[in-house]
Amino acid sequence: QVQLVDTGGGSVQAGGSLRLSCAASGDTVNSYCMGWFRQAAGKEREGVASLYTGSSSGATYYRDFVKGRFTISQGDAKNSLYLQMNSLKPEDTAMYYCAAASPPCSISDYNVRLWPHWGQGTQVTVSS
């Protein structure tokens, strides 16, 4: 079983930056899909960015609305996941969740039912 703990949220002004972190424990998350989702008040949870852990190709996937602003990465020990968020906008305000899925999985499929492991969420608030 995989346990995820996500941290790093906060309140910033538009144009600011935040870095989210996710620590994985329990089963090894090698060759997993790991990603970040977000859920704004009154809206459905949506995928933001994802990658394959341990991938030599460094394959990542981003939703269009964060491309060029957000960067997903994994730690050297491969049990940490990060999301660097730059040029934040008020519409980025949401609860952000780290998620993981064991293989076979697809980093471009953000159907939440396909991602069984979730962090508790960390709030990001961007003011104008």
Side-chain angles (χ1 to χ4, degrees):
Q1 187 72 0
V2 175
Q3 292 83 43
L4 303 174
V5 177
D6 33 41
T7 58
S11 297
V12 296
Q13 291 191 329
S17 299
L18 283 173
R19 187 182 192 227
L20 306 184
S21 298
C22 173
S25 61
D27 290 348
T28 302
V29 291
N30 193 36
S31 299
Y32 270 52
C33 293
M34 291 194 74
W36 292 96
F37 289 68
R38 70 186 187 186
Q39 188 167 16
K43 295 188 177 181
E44 292 187 352
R45 193 169 297 188
E46 60 182 3
V48 174
S50 51
L51 53 71
Y52 290 109
T53 61
S55 170
S56 58
S57 69
T60 57
Y61 185 81
Y62 295 92
R63 297 292 301 278
D64 286 345
F65 51 76
V66 301
K67 282 181 179 178
R69 299 190 299 123
F70 291 11
T71 302
I72 189 171
S73 62
Q74 55 183 322
D76 292 340
K78 304 297 188 291
N79 62 346
S80 297
L81 187 72
Y82 304 101
L83 186 68
Q84 178 66 42
M85 304 186 296
N86 299 328
S87 302
L88 282 161
K89 305 175 182 180
E91 51 264 43
D92 294 318
T93 295
M95 185 73 79
Y96 282 71
Y97 298 89
C98 174
S102 59
C105 57
S106 171
I107 61 172
S108 60
D109 191 339
Y110 288 138
N111 183 336
V112 296
R113 296 180 181 181
L114 300 179
W115 297 75
H117 309 291
W118 294 88
Q120 81 286 359
T122 184
Q123 178 68 38
V124 172
T125 302
V126 185
S127 58
S128 58

